[in-house]
């Protein structure tokens, strides 16, 4: 009668003792991140953009595609807070709807790059030898081309569209993730616990994806956050050049391209999409830097 509660207490204590180091590690990470004012500022910007992207349809005061030629190129006013473009469309509504497009392009393209980059980096770092040589030479070939030029070449071959922009940015994001994951894997596979797991008969796939990958997530998370800023900026650049989103899509880069003809007569048409891109990139960069400082053991106290 008395043994069952004791067994339950022992199991509870064991679970708590296992969870306690993780809670302590999370507490230190949270304290370190919050103490970084610039990281908090970046996080607030990112959260704001995410909210706008999720609830843009409810927030936007007008249809972003509704044409009203009688009110074209109007400056900011109580009726149109960011003015109107050359077709009379409300700029605020277009910037709001463009948030979902730009964040979506960034997230999808970074996911593509991270997926293939992580797999290549894990295989290269774990197996080494000729496999490592082949994969790394392929990565070197991709790195030989400037990212935006490689993306331009891919989009030119596939055709101008937002989907192809995501594919192109995803492809030129692969080398960054692959090199970071490879370096982390080289260090992780030399740890004693990996030797012990291998001695117990664990398969290579289990060692790679169950034991190594979870322990090298920190640099991947940091790089993913920073890469989102690059992806948003690259997508806007491609759309500005006419290779991405096509009119009348309310994408920031396309809006910026359309507003360059009115820089003197109606500067607000290009200014507000440009500010949206600027703050989005700033937010992800600040947050990424803060995550790097909080997750890097060299910065832990």
């Amino acid at each position: 009668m008395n043994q069952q509660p004791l067994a339950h207490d022992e199991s509870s204590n064991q679970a708590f003792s296992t969870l306690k180091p993780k809670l302590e590690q999370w507490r230190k990470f949270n304290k370190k991140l919050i103490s970084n004012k610039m990281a908090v500022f970046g996080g607030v910007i990112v959260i704001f953009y995410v909210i706008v992207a999720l609830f843009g349809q409810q927030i936007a005061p007008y249809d972003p595609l509704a044409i009203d030629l009688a009110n074209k190129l109007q400056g900011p006013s109580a009726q149109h807070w960011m003015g109107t473009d050359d077709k009379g469309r409300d700029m605020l509504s277009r910037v709001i709807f463009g948030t979902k497009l730009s964040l979506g392009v960034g997230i999808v393209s970074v996911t593509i790059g991270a997926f293939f980059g992580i797999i290549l980096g894990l295989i290269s770092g774990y197996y080494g030898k000729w496999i490592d040589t082949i994969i790394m030479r392929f990565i070197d070939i991709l790195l030989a081309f400037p990212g935006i030029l490689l993306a331009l070449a891919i989009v030119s071959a596939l055709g101008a569209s937002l989907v192809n922009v995501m594919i192109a940015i995803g492809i030129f994001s692969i080398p960054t993730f692959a090199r970071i994951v490879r370096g982390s894997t080289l260090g992780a596979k030399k740890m004693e616990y990996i030797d012990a797991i291998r001695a117990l008969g664990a398969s290579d796939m289990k060692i790679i994806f169950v034991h190594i990958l979870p322990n090298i997530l920190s640099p991947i998370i940091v790089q993913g956050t920073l890469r989102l800023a690059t992806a948003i900026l690259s997508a806007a650049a491609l759309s500005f050049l006419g290779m991405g989103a096509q009119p009348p899509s309310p994408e920031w880069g396309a809006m910026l391209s359309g507003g360059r003809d009115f820089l003197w007569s109606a500067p607000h048409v290009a200014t507000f999409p440009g500010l949206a891109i600027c703050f989005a990139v700033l937010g992800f960069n600040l947050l990424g830097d803060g995550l790097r400082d909080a997750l890097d053991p060299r910065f832990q106290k």
Side-chain angles (χ1 to χ4, degrees):
M1 295 291 294
N2 295 330
Q3 293 179 353
Q4 187 173 0
L6 288 174
H8 177 72
D9 291 340
E10 290 178 1
S11 62
S12 299
N13 291 334
Q14 186 178 4
F16 179 75
S17 63
T18 304
L19 185 62
K20 188 176 180 181
K22 295 182 179 179
L23 292 175
E24 182 66 17
Q25 188 177 10
W26 170 255
R27 186 188 67 81
K28 289 182 179 180
F29 162 75
N30 197 35
K31 181 180 179 181
K32 183 73 175 178
L33 185 63
I34 292 176
S35 65
N36 189 330
K37 294 181 180 180
M38 297 307 294
V40 172
F41 179 61
V44 170
I45 294 176
V46 170
I47 292 173
F48 172 76
Y49 273 96
V50 170
I51 292 174
V52 171
L54 292 175
F55 303 101
Q57 191 169 1
Q58 290 75 28
I59 298 173
Y62 299 95
D63 182 350
L65 303 180
I67 296 176
D68 183 10
L69 294 177
N71 293 311
K72 66 179 182 179
L73 297 178
Q74 287 190 353
S77 63
Q79 187 177 5
H80 300 283
W81 289 6
M82 291 185 181
T84 60
D85 64 4
D86 59 316
K87 301 292 191 302
R89 296 171 295 202
D90 181 64
M91 288 295 299
L92 175 60
S93 300
R94 290 179 64 77
V95 169
I96 289 174
F97 272 81
T99 304
K100 185 175 182 179
L101 283 175
S102 295
L103 289 188
V105 170
I107 292 171
V108 172
S109 58
V110 169
T111 300
I112 294 172
F115 177 78
F116 291 103
I118 289 171
I119 291 177
L120 291 174
L122 285 170
I123 295 174
S124 177
Y126 183 80
Y127 289 105
K129 298 180 181 179
W130 63 270
I131 296 178
D132 180 35
T133 301
I134 292 175
I135 292 176
M136 284 300 102
R137 295 300 75 77
F138 169 71
I139 296 300
D140 289 340
I141 292 172
L142 292 180
L143 286 172
F145 299 93
I148 192 66
L149 292 181
L150 180 61
L152 274 171
I154 295 171
V155 174
S156 299
L158 298 178
S161 73
L162 210 54
V163 174
N164 292 337
V165 165
M166 290 187 284
I167 295 173
I169 297 174
I171 290 174
F172 88 71
S173 297
I174 291 175
T176 305
F177 285 100
R179 291 173 70 91
I180 289 175
V181 172
R182 174 184 177 271
S184 300
T185 304
L186 287 172
K189 76 173 184 178
K190 296 178 181 179
M191 302 297 289
E192 293 181 359
Y193 76 95
I194 296 296
D195 294 332
I197 294 167
R198 188 182 294 110
L200 291 173
S203 65
D204 289 344
M205 290 298 102
K206 184 176 182 180
I207 293 173
I208 290 173
F209 292 104
V210 177
H211 298 286
I212 293 180
L213 180 58
N215 287 290
I216 62 171
L217 284 178
S218 295
I220 296 174
I221 293 172
V222 172
Q223 184 58 40
T225 306
L226 293 171
R227 201 67 190 175
L228 274 169
T230 304
I232 291 172
L233 191 60
S234 299
L238 290 171
S239 294
F240 181 84
L241 296 173
M243 305 297 290
Q246 301 299 309
S249 177
E251 199 274 337
W252 293 338
M255 293 168 63
L256 194 61
S257 178
R260 61 183 171 177
D261 295 330
F262 309 100
L263 288 177
W264 297 106
S265 59
H268 65 275
V269 180
T271 300
F272 289 114
L275 288 175
I277 296 170
C278 177
F279 280 107
V281 172
L282 176 65
F284 279 109
N285 277 329
L286 292 177
L287 180 59
D289 287 338
L291 288 173
R292 181 195 58 196
D293 294 346
L295 291 171
D296 194 329
R298 293 174 296 178
F299 293 89
Q300 298 295 338
K301 295 182 179 180

